[in-house]
Amino acid sequence: MSSLPADAIDRLRLARTHRVGPVSYRQLVARFGSATAAIAALPDLVRRSGGRAAKVADPVDIEAEVERVQRLGGEYLFVDSDSYPHQLGELQNAPIALIVRGDTKLLKKPAIAMVGARNSSAASCRFARQIAAELGQSGHVIVSGLARGIDTAAHEGAMEHGTIGVIASGLDIAFPPENKALQDEMGERHLVVTEYPPGTEPLARQFPHRNRIIAGMALGTVVVEAAPRSGSLLTARMATESGREVMAVPGHPLDPRAQGCNQLIREGATLVQSASDIIEAVSHIDPRAANRFNAPPAELFETGGADPDDSARSLLVGLLGPVAVSVDELVRQAELPAPVVQMVLLELELAERLQRHAAGRVSLIS
């Protein structure tokens, strides 16, 4: 506990509260000054938009979680700390708290994400191991998802230089089970990252959240082999939405596992066939400039002293619908100050009436 911020328990309580996502968390803290004050204000905020009271996580449960993380050799990285991965922290939906085990110095190195098919071909696995090793030799750390196939090959290839595995479960659970030894070794020598507390099983709905971390941590994402509509293509899309480089390895048109990569190339992804191609594709990106470019605007989290009235709430609810619209567009059409709009959206989200999407867009939940 000594290494945690003084208000870590309340930060985790707020982050673990149902309906409080990364954007609403930062808005709440910006509005009320601390996680502790935000927790106290939650009941009134939810009441304003007609929602049911939000159940805040029990401090006893959070303290037990922290103890389990520490017993597993893990630690917390909060989004506003210097140790948090900078590339990821610039995304508006970056996790408020990461749980990591291993060598956190790897987070300071330029990262390349490598993803691909679980049922990958032997040739593609060999290629992934080779270029991961070469990228490691060039000073890059490889980020992947510890899944079967290409993920495993990428981690194995980078073992001599540095690799980060992002998982969709707690630190104490390995998925797939046959990668337990690999995950344990990475937790000892490299780094394992998750946003989920110990005991969390890897459910299907959690993998897209894991994928955004993989894409968000890296300067670029390389897709080695992927079928259409696969999780790897979702990761590539998230990389695009984050303003990062997307690269794909071309494959034979008769191999279904190559169709996803070939599709990405047709849509504008950079065709790469070697580690030098990948290094060239990201060489123009200064990580510091990328951070500034991707940084969410301050007004996204600024609610100021805004206290919207019922007319403002009615106006904004009328402008919202099931189709996602940008917050900037809502501000223009409503002709209301941005802090007032953000406060209404926060109230609606806490009342489970609003859904947030990529690129600062929102929609109304029926």
Coordinates of all heavy atoms in Angstrom, one line a residue, residues 17-74:
T17 N -16.8 1.5 -10.1 CA -18.3 1.7 -10.0 C -19.0 1.5 -11.3 O -18.5 2.1 -12.3 CB -18.5 3.2 -9.5 OG1 -18.0 3.3 -8.1 CG2 -20.0 3.5 -9.4
H18 N -20.0 0.8 -11.3 CA -20.8 0.5 -12.5 C -21.3 1.9 -13.1 O -21.7 2.8 -12.4 CB -22.0 -0.4 -12.2 CG -22.9 -0.6 -13.4 ND1 -22.4 -1.2 -14.5 CD2 -24.2 -0.4 -13.6 CE1 -23.4 -1.3 -15.4 NE2 -24.5 -0.9 -14.8
R19 N -21.1 2.0 -14.4 CA -21.5 3.2 -15.2 C -20.4 4.3 -15.2 O -20.5 5.2 -16.0 CB -22.8 3.9 -14.7 CG -24.0 3.0 -14.5 CD -25.1 3.8 -13.9 NE -26.0 2.9 -13.1 CZ -26.9 3.4 -12.3 NH1 -27.1 4.6 -12.2 NH2 -27.7 2.5 -11.6
V20 N -19.4 4.2 -14.4 CA -18.3 5.1 -14.4 C -17.2 4.6 -15.3 O -16.5 3.7 -15.0 CB -17.8 5.4 -13.0 CG1 -16.6 6.4 -13.1 CG2 -18.8 6.0 -12.2
G21 N -17.1 5.2 -16.6 CA -16.1 4.8 -17.5 C -14.9 5.7 -17.4 O -14.9 6.7 -16.6
P22 N -13.9 5.5 -18.3 CA -12.7 6.4 -18.2 C -13.0 7.9 -18.4 O -12.4 8.7 -17.7 CB -11.8 5.8 -19.3 CG -12.2 4.4 -19.5 CD -13.7 4.4 -19.2
V23 N -13.8 8.2 -19.3 CA -14.1 9.6 -19.6 C -14.9 10.2 -18.4 O -14.6 11.3 -17.9 CB -14.9 9.8 -20.9 CG1 -15.4 11.3 -21.0 CG2 -14.1 9.4 -22.1
S24 N -16.0 9.5 -18.0 CA -16.7 10.0 -16.9 C -15.9 10.1 -15.6 O -16.1 11.0 -14.8 CB -18.0 9.2 -16.6 OG -17.7 7.8 -16.5
Y25 N -15.0 9.2 -15.4 CA -14.1 9.2 -14.2 C -13.4 10.5 -14.2 O -13.3 11.3 -13.2 CB -13.2 8.0 -14.2 CG -12.2 8.0 -13.1 CD1 -12.4 7.3 -11.9 CD2 -11.0 8.8 -13.1 CE1 -11.5 7.3 -10.9 CE2 -10.1 8.9 -12.1 CZ -10.3 8.1 -11.0 OH -9.4 8.1 -9.9
R26 N -12.7 10.8 -15.3 CA -11.9 12.0 -15.3 C -12.7 13.3 -15.3 O -12.3 14.3 -14.7 CB -11.0 12.0 -16.6 CG -9.9 10.9 -16.5 CD -8.7 11.2 -17.4 NE -8.9 10.5 -18.7 CZ -7.9 10.5 -19.6 NH1 -6.8 11.2 -19.5 NH2 -8.1 9.8 -20.7
Q27 N -13.9 13.3 -15.8 CA -14.8 14.4 -15.7 C -15.2 14.6 -14.3 O -15.3 15.8 -13.8 CB -16.0 14.2 -16.6 CG -15.7 14.4 -18.1 CD -17.0 14.1 -18.9 OE1 -17.9 13.4 -18.5 NE2 -17.0 14.8 -20.1
L28 N -15.5 13.5 -13.6 CA -15.9 13.6 -12.2 C -14.8 14.2 -11.3 O -15.0 15.1 -10.5 CB -16.4 12.3 -11.6 CG -17.7 11.7 -12.1 CD1 -17.9 10.3 -11.8 CD2 -18.8 12.5 -11.4
V29 N -13.6 13.7 -11.5 CA -12.5 14.2 -10.7 C -12.2 15.6 -11.0 O -11.9 16.4 -10.1 CB -11.2 13.3 -10.9 CG1 -10.0 13.9 -10.2 CG2 -11.5 11.9 -10.3
A30 N -12.3 16.0 -12.3 CA -12.0 17.4 -12.7 C -13.1 18.3 -12.1 O -12.8 19.4 -11.7 CB -12.0 17.5 -14.3
R31 N -14.3 17.8 -12.1 CA -15.4 18.7 -11.6 C -15.4 18.8 -10.0 O -15.6 19.9 -9.5 CB -16.8 18.0 -12.0 CG -18.0 18.7 -11.4 CD -18.2 20.1 -11.9 NE -19.5 20.6 -11.4 CZ -19.6 21.2 -10.3 NH1 -18.6 21.4 -9.4 NH2 -20.8 21.7 -9.9
F32 N -15.1 17.7 -9.3 CA -15.2 17.8 -7.9 C -13.9 17.8 -7.1 O -13.8 17.9 -5.9 CB -16.1 16.6 -7.4 CG -17.5 16.7 -7.9 CD1 -17.9 15.9 -8.9 CD2 -18.4 17.5 -7.4 CE1 -19.2 15.9 -9.4 CE2 -19.7 17.6 -7.8 CZ -20.1 16.8 -8.9
G33 N -12.8 17.7 -7.9 CA -11.5 17.8 -7.3 C -10.8 16.6 -6.8 O -9.6 16.6 -6.6
S34 N -11.5 15.5 -6.5 CA -10.9 14.3 -6.0 C -11.9 13.1 -6.2 O -13.1 13.4 -6.4 CB -10.5 14.4 -4.6 OG -11.7 14.4 -3.7
A35 N -11.4 11.9 -6.2 CA -12.3 10.8 -6.3 C -13.2 10.7 -5.1 O -14.4 10.3 -5.2 CB -11.5 9.5 -6.4
T36 N -12.7 11.1 -3.9 CA -13.5 11.0 -2.7 C -14.7 11.9 -2.8 O -15.8 11.6 -2.5 CB -12.6 11.4 -1.5 OG1 -11.5 10.6 -1.4 CG2 -13.4 11.3 -0.2
A37 N -14.5 13.2 -3.3 CA -15.6 14.1 -3.4 C -16.5 13.7 -4.5 O -17.7 13.9 -4.4 CB -15.0 15.5 -3.7
A38 N -16.0 13.1 -5.6 CA -16.9 12.6 -6.7 C -17.8 11.5 -6.2 O -19.0 11.5 -6.6 CB -16.0 12.1 -7.8
I39 N -17.3 10.6 -5.4 CA -18.2 9.5 -4.8 C -19.3 10.1 -4.0 O -20.5 9.7 -4.1 CB -17.3 8.6 -4.0 CG1 -16.4 7.7 -4.9 CG2 -18.2 7.6 -3.1 CD1 -15.4 6.9 -4.1
A40 N -19.0 11.1 -3.2 CA -20.1 11.8 -2.4 C -21.1 12.4 -3.3 O -22.3 12.5 -2.9 CB -19.4 12.8 -1.5
A41 N -20.7 12.9 -4.5 CA -21.6 13.7 -5.4 C -22.4 12.8 -6.3 O -23.4 13.2 -6.9 CB -20.8 14.7 -6.2
L42 N -22.1 11.5 -6.4 CA -22.7 10.6 -7.4 C -24.2 10.5 -7.2 O -25.0 10.6 -8.2 CB -22.1 9.2 -7.3 CG -20.8 8.9 -8.1 CD1 -20.3 7.5 -7.9 CD2 -21.1 9.1 -9.6
P43 N -24.7 10.3 -6.0 CA -26.2 10.1 -5.9 C -27.0 11.3 -6.5 O -28.0 11.1 -7.2 CB -26.4 10.0 -4.4 CG -25.1 9.5 -3.8 CD -24.1 10.1 -4.7
D44 N -26.5 12.5 -6.2 CA -27.3 13.7 -6.7 C -27.2 13.8 -8.2 O -28.2 14.1 -8.9 CB -26.7 15.0 -6.1 CG -27.5 16.2 -6.5 OD1 -28.8 16.2 -6.3 OD2 -26.9 17.1 -7.1
L45 N -26.0 13.5 -8.8 CA -25.9 13.5 -10.3 C -26.8 12.5 -11.0 O -27.4 12.8 -12.0 CB -24.4 13.2 -10.6 CG -23.4 14.3 -10.3 CD1 -22.0 13.8 -10.6 CD2 -23.7 15.6 -11.0
V46 N -26.9 11.3 -10.4 CA -27.7 10.3 -11.0 C -29.2 10.7 -10.9 O -30.0 10.5 -11.8 CB -27.4 8.9 -10.4 CG1 -28.4 7.9 -10.9 CG2 -26.0 8.5 -10.6
R47 N -29.6 11.2 -9.8 CA -30.9 11.6 -9.5 C -31.4 12.7 -10.5 O -32.5 12.6 -11.0 CB -31.1 12.2 -8.1 CG -32.5 12.7 -7.8 CD -32.5 13.4 -6.5 NE -31.6 14.6 -6.5 CZ -31.8 15.7 -7.1 NH1 -33.0 15.9 -7.8 NH2 -30.9 16.7 -7.1
R48 N -30.5 13.6 -11.0 CA -30.9 14.6 -11.9 C -31.4 14.1 -13.2 O -32.2 14.7 -13.9 CB -29.7 15.6 -12.1 CG -29.2 16.4 -11.0 CD -28.0 17.2 -11.4 NE -27.4 17.9 -10.3 CZ -26.3 18.7 -10.4 NH1 -25.8 18.9 -11.6 NH2 -25.8 19.3 -9.4
S49 N -30.9 13.0 -13.7 CA -31.3 12.4 -14.9 C -32.2 11.2 -14.8 O -32.4 10.5 -15.8 CB -30.0 12.0 -15.8 OG -29.3 13.2 -16.1
G50 N -32.7 11.0 -13.6 CA -33.7 10.0 -13.5 C -33.2 8.6 -13.4 O -34.0 7.6 -13.6
G51 N -31.9 8.4 -13.1 CA -31.4 7.1 -13.0 C -31.4 6.5 -11.6 O -31.8 7.2 -10.6
R52 N -31.1 5.2 -11.5 CA -31.1 4.6 -10.2 C -29.7 4.9 -9.6 O -28.7 5.1 -10.3 CB -31.3 3.1 -10.3 CG -32.7 2.7 -10.8 CD -32.8 1.2 -11.0 NE -31.9 0.8 -12.1 CZ -31.7 -0.5 -12.4 NH1 -32.3 -1.5 -11.7 NH2 -30.9 -0.8 -13.4
A53 N -29.7 4.8 -8.3 CA -28.4 5.1 -7.6 C -27.3 4.2 -8.0 O -27.5 3.0 -8.1 CB -28.7 5.0 -6.1
A54 N -26.1 4.8 -8.3 CA -25.0 4.0 -8.7 C -24.4 3.3 -7.4 O -24.2 3.9 -6.4 CB -23.9 4.9 -9.3
K55 N -24.1 2.0 -7.6 CA -23.5 1.3 -6.4 C -22.0 1.4 -6.5 O -21.4 0.8 -7.3 CB -24.0 -0.2 -6.5 CG -23.4 -1.1 -5.4 CD -24.0 -2.5 -5.4 CE -23.3 -3.3 -4.3 NZ -23.4 -2.8 -3.0
V56 N -21.5 2.2 -5.6 CA -20.1 2.4 -5.5 C -19.4 1.2 -4.9 O -19.9 0.6 -3.9 CB -19.8 3.7 -4.7 CG1 -18.3 3.9 -4.6 CG2 -20.5 4.9 -5.2
A57 N -18.2 0.8 -5.4 CA -17.5 -0.4 -4.9 C -17.2 -0.2 -3.4 O -16.9 0.9 -2.9 CB -16.2 -0.6 -5.7
D58 N -17.3 -1.3 -2.7 CA -17.1 -1.3 -1.2 C -15.6 -1.2 -0.9 O -14.8 -1.9 -1.5 CB -17.6 -2.6 -0.6 CG -17.7 -2.6 0.9 OD1 -16.7 -2.3 1.5 OD2 -18.7 -3.0 1.4
P59 N -15.2 -0.3 0.0 CA -13.8 -0.1 0.3 C -13.1 -1.4 0.8 O -11.9 -1.6 0.6 CB -13.7 1.0 1.3 CG -15.1 1.1 1.9 CD -16.0 0.7 0.8
V60 N -13.9 -2.2 1.5 CA -13.3 -3.5 2.0 C -13.0 -4.4 0.8 O -11.9 -5.0 0.8 CB -14.4 -4.2 2.9 CG1 -13.9 -5.6 3.3 CG2 -14.6 -3.4 4.1
D61 N -13.8 -4.4 -0.2 CA -13.5 -5.2 -1.4 C -12.3 -4.7 -2.2 O -11.5 -5.5 -2.7 CB -14.7 -5.2 -2.4 CG -16.0 -5.9 -1.8 OD1 -15.8 -6.8 -0.9 OD2 -17.1 -5.6 -2.2
I62 N -12.2 -3.4 -2.2 CA -11.0 -2.8 -2.9 C -9.7 -3.1 -2.1 O -8.7 -3.4 -2.7 CB -11.2 -1.3 -3.1 CG1 -12.4 -1.0 -4.0 CG2 -10.0 -0.6 -3.6 CD1 -12.3 -1.5 -5.4
E63 N -9.8 -3.0 -0.8 CA -8.6 -3.3 0.0 C -8.2 -4.8 -0.2 O -7.0 -5.1 -0.3 CB -8.9 -3.0 1.4 CG -8.9 -1.5 1.7 CD -9.4 -1.2 3.1 OE1 -9.7 -2.2 3.9 OE2 -9.5 -0.1 3.5
A64 N -9.2 -5.7 -0.3 CA -8.9 -7.1 -0.6 C -8.3 -7.2 -2.0 O -7.3 -8.0 -2.2 CB -10.1 -7.9 -0.4
E65 N -8.8 -6.5 -3.0 CA -8.2 -6.6 -4.3 C -6.7 -6.1 -4.3 O -5.9 -6.8 -4.9 CB -9.0 -5.6 -5.2 CG -8.4 -5.5 -6.6 CD -9.0 -4.4 -7.5 OE1 -10.3 -4.3 -7.4 OE2 -8.3 -3.8 -8.2
V66 N -6.5 -5.0 -3.6 CA -5.1 -4.5 -3.6 C -4.2 -5.5 -3.0 O -3.0 -5.8 -3.4 CB -5.0 -3.2 -2.8 CG1 -3.6 -2.7 -2.6 CG2 -5.8 -2.1 -3.6
E67 N -4.6 -6.2 -1.9 CA -3.8 -7.2 -1.2 C -3.5 -8.4 -2.2 O -2.4 -8.9 -2.2 CB -4.5 -7.7 0.0 CG -4.5 -6.6 1.1 CD -5.3 -7.1 2.3 OE1 -5.8 -8.2 2.3 OE2 -5.4 -6.3 3.3
R68 N -4.5 -8.8 -3.0 CA -4.3 -9.9 -3.9 C -3.3 -9.5 -5.0 O -2.5 -10.3 -5.4 CB -5.7 -10.3 -4.5 CG -6.6 -11.0 -3.5 CD -7.9 -11.5 -4.3 NE -7.5 -12.6 -5.2 CZ -8.4 -13.2 -6.0 NH1 -9.7 -12.7 -6.0 NH2 -8.1 -14.2 -6.7
V69 N -3.5 -8.3 -5.5 CA -2.5 -7.8 -6.5 C -1.1 -7.8 -6.0 O -0.2 -8.3 -6.7 CB -2.9 -6.4 -7.0 CG1 -1.8 -5.8 -7.8 CG2 -4.2 -6.4 -7.8
Q70 N -0.9 -7.4 -4.8 CA 0.4 -7.3 -4.2 C 1.0 -8.7 -4.0 O 2.2 -9.0 -4.2 CB 0.4 -6.5 -3.0 CG 0.2 -5.0 -3.2 CD 0.1 -4.2 -2.0 OE1 -0.2 -4.7 -0.9 NE2 0.3 -2.9 -2.1
R71 N 0.1 -9.7 -3.6 CA 0.5 -11.0 -3.3 C 1.0 -11.7 -4.6 O 1.9 -12.6 -4.7 CB -0.6 -11.9 -2.7 CG -0.8 -11.6 -1.2 CD -1.5 -12.8 -0.6 NE -2.8 -13.1 -1.2 CZ -3.9 -12.5 -0.8 NH1 -4.0 -11.6 0.1 NH2 -5.1 -12.9 -1.5
L72 N 0.4 -11.3 -5.8 CA 0.7 -11.8 -7.1 C 1.9 -11.1 -7.7 O 2.4 -11.5 -8.8 CB -0.5 -11.6 -8.0 CG -1.7 -12.5 -7.8 CD1 -2.9 -12.0 -8.6 CD2 -1.4 -14.0 -8.1
G73 N 2.5 -10.2 -6.9 CA 3.7 -9.5 -7.4 C 3.3 -8.3 -8.4 O 4.2 -7.8 -9.1
G74 N 2.1 -7.9 -8.4 CA 1.6 -6.8 -9.2 C 1.6 -5.5 -8.6 O 1.8 -5.4 -7.4

